[in-house]
């Protein structure tokens, strides 16, 4: 029934419905993906691309929210660029954290259109654009953030060149990238259609340092050992942003302890 489908899509199993296992789990997972694809299309988004959006508030979405809440520590009364803003929920969270203004840029016009409709306001605006070719004036942003967008670039170095130009001399950039530590991790990400650059954590660190940035490292982790997010699940999450932590570390520390995401705080050296 439609009620049963809706209940399963929300991660709940109605009374009388046997909890699935084996092939039934696979069938339900396929059904959920189809349902969520239809929901995205109805919301004006591409149905099966990689965009994270508020319509599927699963563990993956909550983890992404926690990254933007970490960015929120840096943005109070600042003019912010969200590079690769996706569906715009992160820009809205930074406004809530006290940013003076946020400009979100994304290459996907569907995501930008959704972001404008859902989150556009006087202090936040969205535009379609290529973050490898930032079109803004020199030193026009106090803070630049990028959450899991840089791995989708063909030329991350082009973004970093633009970042140096548009960031104020006393500004900060905070970027989140996949924690690729070796060949096995790289192979996994190479199989993801939208992941193109797939640099290792050390290669990101070197890229930023070579561009003249002083770099601080953070590890994005589950806050407690009993928190075990399932990033493949499409069910509504039982987690909150408080179930994730951001631990200051160094490059060696990012390799020593598993991270959900590796983050770098960048400031122009000297």
């Amino acid at each position: 029934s439609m009620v049963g489908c809706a209940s399963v899509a929300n991660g709940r199993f109605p009374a009388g419905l046997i909890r699935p296992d084996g092939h039934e789990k696979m069938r339900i997972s396929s059904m959920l993906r189809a349902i969520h694809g239809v929901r995205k299309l109805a919301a004006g988004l591409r149905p099966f691309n990689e965009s994270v959006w508020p319509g599927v508030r699963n563990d993956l979405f909550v983890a992404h929210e926690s990254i933007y809440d970490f960015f929120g520590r840096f943005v109070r009364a600042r003019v912010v660029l969200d590079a690769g803003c996706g569906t715009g929920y992160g820009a809205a969270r930074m406004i809530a954290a006290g940013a003076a203004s946020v400009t979100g840029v994304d290459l996907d016009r569907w995501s930008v259109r959704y972001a404008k409709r859902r989150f556009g306001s006087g202090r936040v605006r969205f535009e379609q654009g290529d973050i490898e070719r930032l079109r803004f004036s020199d030193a026009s942003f106090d803070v630049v953030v990028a959450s899991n967008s840089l791995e989708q670039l063909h030329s991350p170095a082009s973004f970093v060149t633009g970042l140096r130009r548009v960031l104020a001399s006393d500004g900060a950039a905070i970027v989140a990238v996949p924690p690729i530590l070796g060949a096995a991790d790289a192979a996994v990400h190479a199989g993801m259609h939208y992941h193109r650059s797939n640099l290792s954590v050390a290669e990101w660190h070197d890229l930023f340092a070579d561009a003249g940035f002083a770099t601080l490292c953070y590890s994005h982790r589950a806050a407690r050992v009993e928190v075990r997010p399932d990033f493949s699940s499409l069910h509504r999450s039982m987690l909150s942003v408080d179930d994730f932590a951001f631990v200051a570390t160094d490059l060696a520390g990012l390799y020593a302890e598993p991270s959900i995401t590796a983050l770098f705080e960048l400031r122009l050296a000297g």
Side-chain angles (χ1 to χ4, degrees), residues 177-182 185 201 217-225 245-263:
V177 297
I180 295 175
L181 305 181
D185 295 333
V201 168
C217 304
Y218 298 89
S219 173
H220 180 206
R221 306 175 184 173
R224 300 174 305 282
V225 67
F246 296 82
V247 180
T249 185
D250 57 16
L251 183 60
L254 288 173
Y255 278 81
E257 295 287 340
S259 298
I260 296 169
T261 315
L263 291 97

Side-chain angles (χ1 to χ4, degrees), residues 14-248:
L17 183 63
I18 298 172
R19 288 186 174 273
D21 55 27
H23 294 298
E24 185 67 8
K25 284 186 176 179
M26 293 177 63
R27 188 184 72 81
I28 290 176
S29 178
S30 295
M31 181 181 71
L32 287 176
R33 292 187 185 281
I35 290 171
H36 290 313
V38 170
R39 285 180 174 174
K40 289 182 77 173
L41 189 62
L45 294 166
R46 297 181 193 275
F48 301 111
N49 75 342
E50 200 181 48
S51 64
V52 178
W53 72 300
V56 183
R57 199 173 184 281
N58 54 2
D59 287 357
L60 181 64
F61 181 78
V62 176
H64 279 77
E65 283 186 313
S66 73
I67 293 173
Y68 275 101
D69 281 9
F70 178 74
F71 293 163
R73 304 178 191 182
F74 300 86
V75 304
R76 181 167 295 278
R78 300 291 191 267
V79 177
V80 181
L81 171 64
D82 186 359
C85 64
T87 53
Y89 65 91
R93 293 185 82 86
M94 291 190 290
I95 288 292
S101 67
V102 178
T103 299
V105 178
D106 201 274
L107 193 59
D108 182 58
R109 62 182 178 85
W110 296 52
S111 294
V112 171
R113 183 175 58 191
Y114 175 91
K116 286 179 177 179
R117 185 172 65 247
R118 178 75 183 270
F119 299 111
S121 71
R123 292 166 54 206
V124 57
R125 66 187 184 93
F126 300 99
E127 60 183 68
Q128 185 181 8
D130 185 351
I131 64 172
E132 291 186 17
R133 299 170 179 83
L134 294 172
R135 303 298 188 185
F136 303 102
S137 301
D138 293 359
S140 51
F141 295 100
D142 303 312
V143 176
V144 176
V145 303
S147 176
N148 293 280
S149 55
L150 302 190
E151 66 273 16
Q152 300 183 30
L153 302 181
H154 293 286
S155 175
S158 297
F159 166 77
V160 174
T161 298
L163 172 64
R164 274 204 57 130
R165 186 181 59 77
V166 304
L167 187 64
S169 59
D170 59 348
I174 309 93
V175 302
V177 297
I180 295 175
L181 305 181
D185 295 333
V188 169
H189 286 272
M192 298 180 182
H193 176 67
Y194 292 98
H195 290 200
R196 299 182 178 95
S197 58
N198 297 322
L199 301 182
S200 70
V201 168
E203 288 170 331
W204 284 115
H205 186 277
D206 289 348
L207 176 62
F208 300 138
D210 290 346
F213 287 103
T215 303
L216 298 176
C217 304
Y218 298 89
S219 173
H220 180 206
R221 306 175 184 173
R224 300 174 305 282
V225 67
E226 64 270 20
V227 175
R228 297 180 179 180
D230 179 359
F231 295 137
S232 67
S233 173
L234 291 174
H235 295 304
R236 183 171 180 82
S237 181
M238 302 300 291
L239 302 178
S240 76
V241 293
D242 295 331
D243 288 315
F244 297 90
F246 296 82
V247 180

